[in-house]
Coordinates of all heavy atoms in Angstrom, one line a residue:
G97 N -5.5 -2.9 7.4 CA -4.4 -2.5 8.2 C -4.0 -1.0 8.1 O -3.0 -0.6 8.6
L98 N -4.9 -0.2 7.4 CA -4.5 1.2 7.2 C -5.1 2.1 8.2 O -4.5 3.2 8.4 CB -4.9 1.6 5.8 CG -4.0 1.2 4.7 CD1 -4.6 1.5 3.3 CD2 -2.6 1.9 4.8
V99 N -6.2 1.8 8.9 CA -6.8 2.7 9.9 C -7.1 1.8 11.1 O -7.1 0.6 11.0 CB -8.0 3.4 9.4 CG1 -7.8 4.1 8.1 CG2 -9.2 2.4 9.2
R100 N -7.4 2.5 12.2 CA -7.8 1.9 13.4 C -9.0 2.6 14.0 O -9.1 3.8 13.8 CB -6.7 1.8 14.5 CG -6.3 3.1 15.1 CD -5.2 3.1 16.1 NE -5.1 4.3 16.8 CZ -4.5 5.4 16.4 NH1 -3.9 5.4 15.2 NH2 -4.4 6.5 17.2
T101 N -9.9 1.9 14.6 CA -11.1 2.5 15.3 C -10.9 2.5 16.8 O -10.7 1.4 17.3 CB -12.4 1.8 14.8 OG1 -12.5 1.9 13.4 CG2 -13.6 2.5 15.5
E102 N -11.0 3.6 17.4 CA -10.9 3.7 18.9 C -12.3 4.1 19.4 O -12.9 5.1 19.0 CB -9.9 4.8 19.3 CG -8.5 4.5 18.9 CD -7.5 5.4 19.4 OE1 -7.9 6.2 20.3 OE2 -6.3 5.4 19.0
K103 N -12.8 3.3 20.3 CA -14.1 3.5 20.9 C -14.2 4.9 21.5 O -13.4 5.3 22.3 CB -14.4 2.4 22.0 CG -15.8 2.4 22.5 CD -16.1 1.2 23.4 CE -17.5 1.2 23.9 NZ -17.8 0.1 24.8
N104 N -15.3 5.6 21.2 CA -15.7 6.9 21.7 C -14.7 8.0 21.2 O -14.8 9.1 21.7 CB -15.7 6.9 23.2 CG -16.8 6.0 23.7 OD1 -17.9 5.8 23.1 ND2 -16.5 5.3 24.9
R105 N -13.8 7.6 20.3 CA -12.8 8.6 19.8 C -12.9 8.8 18.3 O -12.8 9.9 17.8 CB -11.4 8.3 20.2 CG -11.1 8.4 21.7 CD -9.6 8.4 22.0 NE -9.0 9.6 21.4 CZ -7.8 9.6 20.8 NH1 -7.1 8.5 20.7 NH2 -7.3 10.7 20.3
G106 N -13.1 7.7 17.6 CA -13.2 7.8 16.1 C -12.2 6.9 15.4 O -11.7 6.0 15.9
V107 N -12.0 7.3 14.1 CA -11.1 6.5 13.2 C -9.9 7.3 12.9 O -9.9 8.5 12.6 CB -11.9 6.2 11.9 CG1 -11.0 5.4 10.9 CG2 -13.2 5.5 12.2
F108 N -8.7 6.6 13.0 CA -7.4 7.2 12.8 C -6.6 6.4 11.8 O -6.7 5.2 11.7 CB -6.7 7.3 14.1 CG -7.4 8.1 15.2 CD1 -8.4 7.5 16.0 CD2 -7.0 9.4 15.4 CE1 -9.0 8.3 16.9 CE2 -7.7 10.1 16.4 CZ -8.7 9.6 17.2
V109 N -5.7 7.1 11.0 CA -4.7 6.5 10.2 C -3.8 5.8 11.2 O -3.3 6.4 12.2 CB -4.0 7.5 9.3 CG1 -2.9 6.8 8.5 CG2 -4.9 8.2 8.4
R110 N -3.4 4.5 10.9 CA -2.6 3.8 11.8 C -1.2 4.4 12.0 O -0.6 4.9 11.0 CB -2.4 2.3 11.3 CG -3.6 1.4 11.6 CD -3.1 0.0 11.7 NE -2.2 -0.2 12.8 CZ -1.4 -1.3 12.8 NH1 -1.3 -2.2 11.9 NH2 -0.5 -1.4 13.9
D111 N -0.8 4.4 13.2 CA 0.6 4.9 13.5 C 1.4 3.7 14.1 O 1.2 3.3 15.2 CB 0.4 6.0 14.6 CG 1.8 6.7 14.9 OD1 2.7 6.4 14.2 OD2 1.8 7.5 15.8
V112 N 2.2 3.1 13.2 CA 2.9 1.9 13.6 C 4.2 2.3 14.3 O 5.0 3.0 13.8 CB 3.2 1.1 12.3 CG1 4.0 -0.2 12.6 CG2 2.0 0.7 11.5
P113 N 4.4 1.7 15.5 CA 5.6 2.0 16.3 C 6.8 1.5 15.5 O 6.7 0.5 14.7 CB 5.4 1.2 17.6 CG 4.0 1.0 17.7 CD 3.5 0.9 16.2
I114 N 8.0 2.1 15.7 CA 9.2 1.7 14.9 C 9.6 0.2 15.2 O 10.0 -0.5 14.3 CB 10.4 2.6 15.3 CG1 11.6 2.3 14.5 CG2 10.7 2.6 16.8 CD1 11.5 2.5 13.0
E115 N 9.4 -0.2 16.4 CA 9.7 -1.6 16.8 C 8.9 -2.6 16.0 O 9.4 -3.6 15.5 CB 9.5 -1.9 18.3 CG 10.4 -1.1 19.2 CD 10.0 0.4 19.4 OE1 8.8 0.7 19.0 OE2 10.7 1.2 20.0
E116 N 7.6 -2.3 15.8 CA 6.7 -3.1 15.0 C 7.1 -3.1 13.6 O 7.1 -4.1 12.8 CB 5.3 -2.7 15.2 CG 4.3 -3.6 14.5 CD 2.8 -3.2 14.8 OE1 2.6 -2.4 15.7 OE2 1.9 -3.8 14.1
A117 N 7.4 -1.9 13.1 CA 7.8 -1.7 11.7 C 9.0 -2.5 11.3 O 9.0 -3.2 10.3 CB 8.1 -0.2 11.4
L118 N 10.0 -2.6 12.2 CA 11.2 -3.3 11.9 C 10.9 -4.8 11.9 O 11.5 -5.6 11.0 CB 12.3 -3.1 13.0 CG 12.8 -1.6 13.1 CD1 13.8 -1.5 14.2 CD2 13.4 -1.2 11.8
E119 N 10.0 -5.3 12.7 CA 9.6 -6.7 12.7 C 8.8 -7.0 11.4 O 9.0 -8.1 10.8 CB 8.6 -7.0 13.9 CG 9.4 -7.0 15.2 CD 8.4 -7.3 16.4 OE1 7.2 -7.3 16.1 OE2 8.9 -7.4 17.5
I120 N 8.0 -6.0 10.9 CA 7.3 -6.2 9.7 C 8.2 -6.3 8.5 O 8.0 -7.1 7.6 CB 6.2 -5.1 9.5 CG1 5.1 -5.2 10.5 CG2 5.6 -5.2 8.1 CD1 4.2 -4.0 10.5
F121 N 9.3 -5.5 8.5 CA 10.3 -5.5 7.4 C 10.9 -6.9 7.4 O 11.1 -7.4 6.3 CB 11.3 -4.4 7.7 CG 11.0 -3.1 7.0 CD1 10.8 -2.0 7.8 CD2 11.0 -3.0 5.7 CE1 10.5 -0.8 7.3 CE2 10.8 -1.7 5.1 CZ 10.5 -0.6 5.9
E122 N 11.2 -7.5 8.5 CA 11.8 -8.8 8.5 C 10.9 -9.9 8.0 O 11.3 -10.7 7.2 CB 12.2 -9.1 10.0 CG 13.4 -8.3 10.5 CD 13.7 -8.5 12.0 OE1 13.1 -9.4 12.5 OE2 14.6 -7.9 12.5
L123 N 9.6 -9.8 8.4 CA 8.7 -10.7 7.8 C 8.5 -10.6 6.3 O 8.4 -11.5 5.6 CB 7.3 -10.6 8.6 CG 6.2 -11.5 8.1 CD1 6.6 -12.9 8.3 CD2 4.9 -11.2 9.0
R124 N 8.4 -9.3 5.9 CA 8.2 -9.0 4.5 C 9.5 -9.5 3.7 O 9.3 -10.0 2.6 CB 8.1 -7.5 4.3 CG 7.7 -7.2 2.9 CD 7.6 -5.7 2.6 NE 8.0 -5.4 1.2 CZ 8.6 -4.4 0.8 NH1 9.0 -3.5 1.6 NH2 8.9 -4.2 -0.5
A125 N 10.7 -9.4 4.3 CA 11.9 -9.8 3.6 C 11.8 -11.3 3.3 O 12.1 -11.8 2.2 CB 13.1 -9.5 4.4
A126 N 11.3 -12.1 4.3 CA 11.2 -13.5 4.1 C 10.1 -13.9 3.1 O 10.3 -14.8 2.2 CB 10.8 -14.2 5.4
M127 N 9.0 -13.1 3.0 CA 8.0 -13.3 2.1 C 8.5 -13.0 0.7 O 8.2 -13.6 -0.3 CB 6.7 -12.6 2.4 CG 6.1 -13.0 3.8 SD 4.7 -12.0 4.3 CE 3.4 -12.7 3.2
D128 N 9.2 -11.9 0.6 CA 9.7 -11.4 -0.7 C 10.8 -12.4 -1.3 O 10.9 -12.6 -2.5 CB 10.4 -10.0 -0.6 CG 9.4 -8.9 -1.0 OD1 8.4 -9.2 -1.7 OD2 9.6 -7.8 -0.6
Q129 N 11.5 -13.1 -0.4 CA 12.4 -14.1 -0.9 C 11.7 -15.2 -1.6 O 12.1 -15.7 -2.6 CB 13.2 -14.7 0.3 CG 14.3 -15.6 -0.1 CD 15.3 -15.9 1.0 OE1 14.9 -15.8 2.2 NE2 16.5 -16.4 0.7
Y130 N 10.5 -15.6 -1.0 CA 9.7 -16.6 -1.7 C 9.2 -16.1 -3.0 O 9.2 -16.8 -4.0 CB 8.5 -16.9 -0.8 CG 7.4 -17.6 -1.5 CD1 7.4 -18.9 -1.8 CD2 6.3 -16.8 -2.0 CE1 6.3 -19.5 -2.5 CE2 5.2 -17.4 -2.7 CZ 5.3 -18.8 -2.9 OH 4.2 -19.4 -3.6

Side-chain angles (χ1 to χ4, degrees):
L98 280 172
V99 305
R100 71 181 190 281
T101 301
E102 295 186 13
K103 189 174 181 180
N104 299 325
R105 291 198 64 215
V107 178
F108 299 82
V109 178
R110 278 205 66 199
D111 187 5
V112 179
I114 183 64
E115 295 80 10
E116 183 179 348
L118 295 176
E119 291 178 352
I120 294 172
F121 271 112
E122 292 175 2
L123 179 56
R124 185 183 154 217
M127 297 177 79
D128 265 339
Q129 185 169 22
Y130 162 81

